[in-house]
Amino acid sequence: MGFTMAKKVAVVTGSAGGLGRGIAERLAKDGFAIVIHDINEELLNQTETEFKDNGIEVTSFVGDVSKREDQFALVQHAVDTFGRLDVFVNNAGIEAATPLLEIDENELQRLFSINAFGMLFGTQAAATQFIKQGGGGKIISASSIAGHESYAMLGTYSATKHVVRSFTQTASKELAKYKINVNAYAPGVAKTKMWDRLDAEMVKHDPTLKPGDAFAKYTADISLGRYEMPDDVANLVSFLASPDSDYITGQTILVDGGMVYR
C-alpha cells in the first residue's frame, strides 16, 4: 500500500487479548503503527511489551470506552504519539447470559454502556479527528451474529450488538460526505475467554448442561465445521481497513463460518 506518510495509524479498543489482540497484530503486519487499548492495565502492558519485542511500532492507552472523554483522550493519544489517525476499531465489548425474565437494570446499564455507548463515543472521537485531518478514514466496529439474530439467554448482548449495526448505518450516512467509511464485523463463535464465561453462565442457568456443552451446541451449527479463530476476524478487519474496501460503507459483515444466513 502506498502510504502518504511513512505509516498509517490504527487504534484498536479492547486489544490486550482475544480477538482485539489478533486484529491489532494483523494491522501491524499490514504496516500500521498501532495504538492498543484496554481497561485491564496489567494485561495491556504485557501485550505492549510482547508487541515491541516483535518489532511492532506500538503505544498503549488505558481507558474505559463507556466514558466519552476517555474515547476522545484515546484518539488524542494516538495523534500525539504518531501524528495522525487513519483507522479506528471499536472492538471492546462484554457479554452476559441471563434468562429474559431475570435481566436487571445493572446488566442493561453495564452492557449498553460498553457495547453500545462505547461504540458511539469511539465513532464520534475518530470521526472528529478524521474531519480535522481533512476527511477520509475508516471506522470499523464489533457487532456479532447476535446483531443479526437475537439468541435465547443473550438478550441484552444481542440488543447491544443490534445497536452497533444501527449506529454503523447512521454514521455511514452522515459521515460519507467526509469520505469516512463506517462498517462493522459480525463474528460467530470463537474460543475466547468471553465464550468461556458465556458457557459457564449458561451452565449456571440450565442444570441439564455440563461445562462445554453450550459452546459445543453453538459450534455444531457452523457450516465450515470449526470454531472461529482470531485470524478469521482479523482478515476481514484488515480488508475493511484497506483501500480495497473504499466503496463499502454502512455494512455489518458476517464472518461466522456459515451460521447466520440472512
Side-chain angles (χ1 to χ4, degrees):
M1 296 194 292
F3 299 139
T4 47
M5 292 178 64
K7 282 272 185 190
K8 281 192 173 181
V9 180
V11 169
V12 185
T13 68
S15 50
L19 298 180
R21 177 177 173 148
I23 289 166
E25 287 174 324
R26 174 56 193 266
L27 292 179
K29 203 183 288 182
D30 291 343
F32 284 87
I34 303 292
V35 182
I36 56 171
H37 157 285
D38 214 280
I39 200 163
N40 182 338
E41 186 170 5
E42 192 185 341
L43 188 59
L44 186 67
N45 290 339
Q46 194 182 313
T47 301
E48 183 181 17
T49 300
E50 288 167 16
F51 274 30
K52 282 179 172 163
D53 289 347
N54 289 326
I56 293 172
E57 196 172 339
V58 65
T59 184
S60 66
F61 187 88
V62 179
D64 179 348
V65 293
S66 72
K67 293 186 164 64
R68 193 173 187 270
E69 65 272 21
D70 270 26
Q71 294 284 62
F72 278 81
L74 167 60
V75 167
Q76 194 55 55
H77 176 73
V79 175
D80 289 346
T81 308
F82 294 123
R84 60 180 290 114
L85 180 68
D86 298 278
V87 169
F88 192 96
V89 184
N90 286 301
N91 174 75
I94 57 168
E95 78 299 322
T98 312
L100 187 83
L101 300 183
E102 295 173 25
I103 294 170
D104 61 14
E105 295 94 332
N106 181 52
E107 176 178 313
L108 290 166
Q109 191 61 54
R110 206 166 56 91
L111 267 70
F112 272 89
S113 70
I114 292 169
N115 296 0
F117 304 171
M119 176 266 175
L120 175 63
F121 297 152
T123 299
Q124 291 172 333
T128 301
Q129 177 60 28
F130 291 152
I131 292 165
K132 201 185 289 183
Q133 289 173 184
K138 309 270 174 133
I139 297 168
I140 307 163
S141 306
S143 183
S144 166
I145 50 171
H148 282 262
E149 176 183 346
S150 298
Y151 290 88
M153 296 289 294
L154 301 178
T156 308
Y157 181 76
S158 299
T160 63
K161 293 305 184 177
H162 275 76
V163 171
V164 169
R165 203 172 154 202
S166 178
F167 275 142
T168 295
Q169 291 185 5
T170 301
S172 75
K173 292 176 180 183
E174 292 192 30
L175 300 174
K177 65 183 178 207
Y178 303 109
K179 303 275 189 290
I180 298 169
N181 297 66
V182 188
N183 292 293
Y185 51 100
V189 181
K191 193 85 178 92
T192 58
K193 286 194 171 66
M194 179 186 279
W195 246 102
D196 291 342
R197 290 190 297 267
L198 276 179
D199 190 273
E201 285 181 49
M202 287 180 182
V203 169
K204 200 167 66 188
H205 291 292
D206 184 347
T208 66
L209 291 175
K210 296 192 302 296
D213 281 0
F215 185 77
K217 189 183 93 173
Y218 276 93
T219 51
D221 293 335
I222 300 172
S223 296
L224 291 179
R226 66 170 176 85
Y227 60 74
E228 187 149 32
M229 305 295 285
D231 279 358
D232 297 318
V233 181
N235 288 339
L236 173 59
V237 176
S238 170
F239 166 70
L240 291 173
S242 80
D244 288 349
S245 66
D246 282 355
Y247 199 61
I248 298 172
T249 199
Q251 303 307 304
T252 296
I253 301 174
L254 287 155
V255 51
D256 65 356
M259 287 182 76
V260 176
Y261 289 88
R262 69 185 60 78

